[in-house]
């Protein structure tokens, strides 16, 4: 009865449902994309689902990560997802890996599954996942989101192109902000994640036209879909395979360690010999207006850093304390060493500055 609506479809039937039941699928990430992917695959009866995610549920996740509720806050996402999915379908196997995906564990993990789904939110992990899929010869169902737009494709499927065939090299660190910095429409990951789940089921069942060699681009504001052709690059794939013996020796740096040049706004003493540097783009809100601000967008840092007064301490901020880190790293390379990244975003900095100015006004 559970799968009746599948079985009565002539394209699926009992044989197809049995294929779904025998399938083993690994989801990289249980965030905005991972939540709808996991829900639909569990509901469809995918026999074995793996979930790897080191992150914990935060209040800000609930705007779009629909597997979680207030009771999930503070819990590991992989474990919290399993709890919900087990209630949705107790007849499937759910394996959880509450850890970070690395070059050291990826190959062994991928070998245990038939299909890999990338629901990650950073370029370092996307390239890691792609290369591990090429080496283990696993199809990769890819999805990404940015503000109001999303992309879906299937890589490394039946001799099709890989992610590196489309994007040979990752962008410079900090060049592209993630959702915590730039924002995302809450329903968008649900739409893109559901498309990814659809591709997984088509691969398992061997039906329809799989998005191999194609990149579907979706715009939530216009509802326009555009499909771009992707050509297989033998050189890009050979480069990965040629270096496969060194794969497990590689490392990526996407940890949460706070560098020594990071500082909290609550530890800043407002004084004359200081300046605040906003490295966000011009359109980003809220503006910090309580004190003079020097605007040097991260995208224009190479030219705009000359506007920074090197005789003063520079406190750099952005929307969530991530781009400011990258800015400080680059400023130090450019010779501006008396600079610090504020770990808070613009909204919290605004609140603090307004509070400090009000306190000073009362005392005077």
């Amino acid at each position: 009865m559970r799968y009746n609506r599948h079985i009565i479809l002539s394209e699926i039937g009992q044989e197809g449902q049995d294929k779904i039941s025998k399938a083993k699928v690994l989801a990289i990430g249980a965030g905005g994309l991972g939540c709808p992917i996991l829900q639909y695959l569990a509901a469809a009866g995918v026999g074995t689902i793996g979930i790897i995610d080191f992150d914990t549920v935060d209040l800000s996740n609930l705007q779009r990560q629909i597997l979680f509720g207030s009771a999930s806050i503070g819990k590991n996402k992989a474990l919290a997802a399993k709890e919900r999915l087990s209630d949705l379908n107790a007849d499937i196997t759910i394996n959880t890996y509450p850890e970070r995906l690395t070059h050291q564990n990826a190959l062994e993990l991928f070998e245990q599954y038939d299909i890999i789904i990338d629901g990650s939110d950073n370029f370092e992990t996307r390239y890691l996942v792609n290369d591990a899929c090429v080496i283990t010869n696993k199809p990769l169902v890819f999805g990404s989101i940015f503000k109001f737009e999303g992309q879906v494709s299937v890589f490394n499927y039946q001799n099709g192109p890989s992610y590196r065939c489309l994007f040979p090299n990752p962008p410079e660190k900090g060049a592209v902000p993630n959702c915590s910095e730039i924002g995302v429409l809450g329903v968008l990951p649900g739409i893109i994640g559901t498309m990814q789940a659809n591709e997984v089921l088509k691969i398992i069942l061997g039906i329809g036209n799989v998005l191999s060699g194609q990149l579907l681009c979706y715009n939530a504001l216009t509802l326009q879909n555009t499909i771009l052709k992707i050509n297989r690059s033998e050189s890009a794939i050979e480069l990965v395979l040629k270096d496969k013996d060194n794969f497990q020796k590689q490392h990526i740096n996407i940890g949460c360690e706070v560098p020594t040049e990071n500082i909290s706004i609550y530890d800043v003493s407002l004084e004359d010999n200081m300046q605040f540097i906003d490295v966000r783009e011009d359109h980003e809100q809220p503006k910090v207006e309580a004190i003079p601000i020097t605007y040097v967008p991260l995208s224009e840092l190479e030219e705009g850093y000359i506007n920074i007064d090197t005789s003063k301490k520079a406190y750099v901020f952005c929307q969530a304390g991530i781009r400011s880190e990258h800015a400080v790293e680059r400023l130090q390379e450019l010779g501006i060493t008396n600079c610090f990244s504020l770990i808070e975003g613009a909204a919290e900095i605004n609140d603090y500055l307004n509070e400090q100015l009000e306190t000073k006004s009362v005392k005077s």
Side-chain angles (χ1 to χ4, degrees), residues 26-28 50-53 95-97 99-102 104-114 116 136 138 248:
L26 175 67
I28 312 300
I51 312 169
I52 181 166
D53 199 318
N95 301 321
T96 56
Y97 310 92
E99 59 192 86
R100 188 188 299 279
L101 182 73
T102 66
Q104 289 67 50
N105 62 17
L107 299 183
E108 182 180 355
L109 187 58
F110 285 20
E111 289 287 5
Q112 302 173 41
Y113 293 88
D114 306 317
I116 311 301
T136 57
K138 303 291 181 178
Q248 292 182 304

Side-chain angles (χ1 to χ4, degrees), residues 162-202:
S162 74
Y163 182 67
R164 284 189 185 270
C165 298
L166 178 62
F167 303 113
N169 300 299
E172 289 188 14
K173 186 177 179 182
V176 181
N178 60 27
C179 293
S180 66
E181 300 173 285
I182 203 68
V184 63
L185 182 67
V187 300
L188 180 63
I191 295 168
I192 300 301
T194 301
M195 289 182 180
Q196 288 180 267
N198 185 51
E199 292 304 305
V200 171
L201 292 175
K202 288 194 296 183

